Amino acid sequence: MTTSSPIDVAGVAISPDHFVDGTRLASPETFEVHRPIDGALLGRVAMGLPEHVEAAIAAARRAFPAWSALGAAGRKPYLDRFAEEIARRADAFCTTESNDAGVLLSRMRHGVVPRAMLNVSWFAEHALRLQDRRIETEQATHRVRHDPAGVVVVITPWNAPLMLSTWKLGPALAAGDTCILKPPEWAPLTCSLLADAAHAAGLPPGVLNVVQGIGSTTGAALVSDPRIARVSFTGSVPTARTIARAAGGNLVPCSLELGGKSPFIVLEDADIDGAAATGALMYRNAGQVCLAGTRLLVHERIAARFVDAMRGHVERLRVGDPRDEATEVGPIIHPRQVERVAGFVERAVDAGARVLWGGARHPFGAQYYAPTMLADVAQDSEIVQNEVFGPVLTLQTFASDDEAVALANGTDYGLGGVCYGETAHAIAIADRVRTGFIWINSFGIRDLAAPFGGIKRSGVGREGGDWSFEFFCDVKDVVVPKKPFKASFSHR
């Protein structure tokens, strides 16, 4: 079959075609991919049409019996090689994602690529521990199995394509499922490189397929197909509702990791400068991080000192080209997202919000927005209640612990949170905040064995450790009686 010429991204050759059944698959229709740094056209990639969706599902179904039959031990060598191939392509992944998604090169090199490798190798190892778990009771031995579910659709967002793709593919492949990855249309190129890594690692044809396209067409066709066993999605609440309706018609389980409007609580007994330095981290990736603590809730007695300290940290942030390892704040992914962020700020100011810093586009480039803090915001205002997904934070003060908790819990979101204060005090507050996870005097500490996910509008389900396998597997109880069983209708 004819394939398209590769896209050249700073010397990295990337196929613009789908990857289905171990081969590249071109399309008569394409869509454009632009570099957020300067808006330049990177290339055109294949659009997923109905025939491509059908080919991917058919390939994954053909591959499933043999892949699932390997068992965790049989799949582990493939996945270990997959992780090694990601490592071998580290420079290509860093270059591509910095250009395609605007992710900081330093973050890619020192955080994302190592984590992507671990996402694959760690779950391959962890799957071995799920074999033949037993529950002993007086009457029987219960052999608990985690059987592969079938064909899985993985849909990832544009703010972290490599990390979030491997975060889902790692456990799904380790569980014995076969996968169809639908990359984000605004930043699909990393996922094409991921297909190359899987192919080089020797994953059998059809085990991992990549179909590019628009969510409303390609994505919709994938999640509504009754042959799909699981759908794992990270993205926005409106898209999740559409996916859940489509998959729900076929009773297909969905894992949905959605938006955040997380509180960043600074108690009166907090290390003010430490909290302020961590607060500045919320601008990382231009604020395009779902788990960022975007609502600063600060005790009124220390609010002025905290603002001064954080202002100093923010003023030292270097805004610029993400391909420069010294850059700390890069571009926003797409012109539409820039307009969205600017609109939130403009409406908030019109409603009475006070700009402490930022509040406008940054002069570095058209898709850059200055790190921004807004004060004098009402709890029921749009800027407090809705996810901006840009470098925009709000500041509110509180006078008591009860007020801090009420403010923290006062949105429809519940993904993450941060609480700075004397440790026992901070833990007591954290225990009362309704959220999927919360960091004490820290931010961003993650472990693959721990659960990750949100409550309320922030999502359904948990990822990580055993929780990933609970989703990607069919859990079965094989019951073996400890003494001869005698069938009887007697109730005695």
Side-chain angles (χ1 to χ4, degrees), residues 113-289:
V113 172
R115 170 64 187 274
M117 295 158 48
L118 192 62
N119 284 342
V120 176
S121 61
W122 188 92
F123 281 108
E125 176 68 26
H126 194 69
L128 300 175
R129 304 173 195 167
L130 296 179
Q131 302 305 300
D132 199 22
R133 289 188 174 182
R134 295 176 184 244
I135 301 172
E136 299 291 345
T137 68
E138 182 180 348
Q139 292 182 305
T141 296
H142 297 257
R143 297 176 60 249
V144 180
R145 292 179 52 87
H146 287 72
D147 293 335
V151 177
V152 168
V153 169
V154 168
I155 302 177
T156 54
W158 43 258
N159 61 320
L162 177 61
M163 202 292 286
L164 290 175
S165 293
T166 54
W167 171 236
K168 297 171 184 295
L169 292 174
L173 293 170
D177 298 329
T178 52
C179 299
I180 303 170
L181 172 62
K182 208 294 275 182
E185 51 259 40
W186 284 354
L189 300 182
T190 303
C191 294
S192 184
L193 286 181
L194 200 58
D196 291 338
H199 185 66
L203 265 68
V207 168
L208 173 59
N209 307 275
V210 178
V211 179
Q212 300 155 152
I214 307 303
S216 59
T217 53
T218 309
L222 285 167
V223 302
S224 62
D225 194 287
R227 295 168 292 180
I228 300 303
R230 298 287 190 275
V231 175
S232 181
F233 169 75
T234 296
S236 71
V237 173
T239 302
R241 289 193 176 113
T242 300
I243 289 172
R245 282 193 294 267
N250 298 317
L251 297 180
V252 172
C254 294
S255 173
L256 306 172
E257 195 268 282
L258 310 178
K261 196 69 182 175
S262 299
F264 189 122
I265 305 167
V266 185
L267 302 171
E268 187 178 9
D269 50 16
D271 169 5
I272 292 176
D273 191 65
T278 303
L281 292 179
M282 301 307 106
Y283 296 118
R284 186 175 66 181
N285 211 34
Q288 300 167 125
V289 180

Side-chain angles (χ1 to χ4, degrees), residues 29 164 441:
E29 296 184 23
L164 290 175
N441 297 325

Side-chain angles (χ1 to χ4, degrees), residues 309-333:
M310 186 166 169
R311 186 192 305 274
H313 288 288
V314 173
E315 287 175 348
R316 290 191 291 273
L317 290 175
R318 179 166 175 174
V319 178
D321 192 322
R323 299 168 296 185
D324 180 347
E325 290 213 37
T327 296
E328 295 167 300
V329 180
I332 291 175
I333 183 71

Side-chain angles (χ1 to χ4, degrees), residues 468-490:
S468 285
F469 289 104
E470 294 294 315
F471 175 72
F472 285 118
C473 293
D474 290 327
V475 181
K476 179 167 59 183
D477 181 16
V478 179
V479 184
V480 182
K482 290 185 175 178
K483 50 189 175 182
F485 176 76
K486 183 177 180 181
S488 172
F489 288 107
S490 170

Side-chain angles (χ1 to χ4, degrees), residues 33-42 335 366-367:
V33 178
H34 292 263
R35 183 167 54 207
I37 300 164
D38 53 12
L41 177 67
L42 289 174
Q367 286 179 222

